[in-house]
Every structure is written in C-alpha cells, then in structure tokens.
Amino acid sequence: MELHAGPRFNVIDYGAMGNAETDDSQAFLKAWKDACNASYGIPTLLIPKEKTFMLQPLLFSGPCNPPIVHIKLKGNIIAPKNIKGWKLGKGTRKAWIGFKRINGLVIRGGGQIDAQGAPWWNAYFNSEINRPTALHFSECNNLFLNGLTHINSPKNHISINRCNGSFISKLHFIAPDQSPNTDGIDISSSSNILIKNSKIETGDDCIAINHGSTFISIIGVYCGPGHGISIGSLGKNGAHHTVEEIYVRNCTFNRTTNGARIKTWIGGQGYARKIRFKDIIVVEATNPVIIDQQYNPYDSAEAVRVSDVSYDNVRGTSSSPHAIKLHCDKNIGCTNIVLKGINITTIAGNKTYASCQNVKGVCSFCNPHVPCLSHS
C-alpha cells in the first residue's frame, strides 16, 4: 500500500519520552489530534523506533479530515506493568487502546504492542475480574493493519466491531497457551474483512467470528497454540445471532485444541451458513473438525441453524482418535454439510473415527468415515 507524503507528527515532538516508564498518553493524543485534523495530504503519526512508550488506556477518535490517516509504529508501546497502575476511565474501561469512527486508518511499521497481561490473568484465575481488550476498533471502515507484533493482552488482542472493509496482514500474536481468553482477533458486526499471512500463538481462539459478521476471508494463517478458528459462539442466552459467507483457506492448526470449529448455544436463534474451510493442515490438533450445535447444553426447542458448510481438503494428524465431531441439535439439526478430501490420522499414523448426530449432508473421500453422511 503506497501512501503519498503528507505532514508528519512525531510523538517525540509532542513531549513523549519513550523511556518505558513515563506516561506518554497525552503526547500521543495531542499528536493524534493534529494528524486527524490535517488539512492536506495523508498525515503520518510517527512512533519512532528504538524507544518504548508507556500508554495508559486511551481512545483515538474520529472522524478525521483526511480520507486516510497513517500511524507508523516503528517502536514499542507498552501498557502499565500492574493492574493498580491502569487508569481506566469512561470510554476506556473495555480496551487499553481504542480507535473509533476513523475511516481509512492505516497502522503498520514493524513495531510491537505489549499489553503486559500477566497480572490480569493471575487476578482472573483468582476472582474473574473484568479484563480489557488490548486494541479495539469500532466503526473504522477501510482499516489496514500490517506488520505488527502483539503480545500478552489481558484478554483478546484485537476486537473489530462494526467495521466494513478491513485488510489485515503479516501480524504476529504471542501469548502463553494457558493465558485465559487471549484470542488473537475477534470480529463482530463487520463485513468484507480479509485476514492473511499472519501467525497467531495464544491461549484461546486464534480468530473468532461472532454475530453480525459477513464476507470474512482468512487466508494463510498459522494458528497454534490456541483454540483454532471459530465461528461463534453464537446464540448465548437465547440471542438471535447471524453469521454468513465465511471463507477459511490455506491455514495450519498446530497442536490446537480445535481446528475448524462452529459452536452455537442451545436455546439460541438465527443462523450460521455459507461457511467454507478449504486446504487446511492440522498437526496434532485435538478436535480438527468440529460442529457443536449443543454448546453448554440444556434442554430447549431452539437452536442456531447451521447450514451450507463445507470442509474441503483437510489433512494431517489428530492428537485424539476422535478426529471429527458433528454434533447437532435434535430439533433443528445441521443441513447441507459437505466434507470432501478429508485425511486425518493419529500422530502414530493410526486410524481415527468420526461421530455425528442430526446431520444431513455428503462426504466423499473421507478418512475417517463419517457414518451419518451420505457418500458419493
């Protein structure tokens, strides 16, 4: 993506110290205000290399004058190192760094974002406190994220909500495999999102696609450790949730608890449909292929409808002999589920097996054999 020269706003010129100790939040906000209000060209907010900037929770908000605003993150930004040091206020309670109503936002530069989440994980294990997301994007159309490293979020690393048209590439997410709820990217109420060529190593879903998401493409993502790429969960507390037109291709799941997963709550309403997983490699994944329409089961006549789902060319190894689980609701069921070219063995190369309930569809060239699907 070529950006034509415009005014540059270096956070150092606004008083930021970059010594990893001083609170540089106000300098960043002042630089942002000038960049957002720039009157010509494509403005660049520069976060220089070889410095580490400590930021309190803050919100970068628009709308901005220029059609594109560039944040060039070459250095490092870090959150306060302990919970007591966080100054959470109105508008920043749910996220460390928020971006709202900014169209044409570009963030790139090779820098690192460290949310210093370990104290939050420890507190959560003891008391289940509310933890913030690291980066939250809301109503940011035509968002572009490239070439950044995100580590150790208190909760999920990136949330994308009510955004249309995003291109996300060459991101690297790192958090311990036991860190709670540290999803890489969570998407909701958004459309036309492309995520590609990224590596996600965290303690929960690598990518979670939630209610209101349409036309989401995920290509060339390496996932693991983590919980795989998930559609949902959908329909919690009886909610009406919808997801459709999801395309996941050329992805690798390495020692994940799940691979390609769809999960919906019993009692929910709505649908998950037109979902395609293609050219997937699984390496010692626990549940390589899983549809769970009975997530957190209790008795109800309602369920989120799951239909028009395909798994095409999924191959590799499972850490469990139970490689495929298609468990659908007894009242609603899952329809038009198509499996083609599946070859999953155990780590030792032994046979695996599949289980399925209340599923209608077709399986061709499937190893393991899927008993409840018709075979062509």
Side-chain angles (χ1 to χ4, degrees), residues 295-308:
Y295 192 62
N296 200 40
Y298 62 92
D299 197 34
S300 173
E302 298 288 348
V304 176
R305 294 180 181 273
V306 177
S307 66
D308 308 309

Side-chain angles (χ1 to χ4, degrees), residues 268-285:
Q269 300 179 60
Y271 55 80
R273 66 192 185 195
K274 300 178 183 177
I275 298 163
R276 186 178 185 191
F277 297 96
K278 180 177 172 61
D279 301 334
I280 304 296
I281 296 174
V282 293
V283 182
E284 299 181 32

Side-chain angles (χ1 to χ4, degrees), residues 55-58 77-80 86 94-98 113-115 132-134:
L55 299 181
Q56 288 289 345
L58 56 111
I77 59 175
I78 61 171
W86 284 60
K94 293 183 178 180
W96 171 35
I97 301 175
I113 300 164
D114 181 359
T133 295

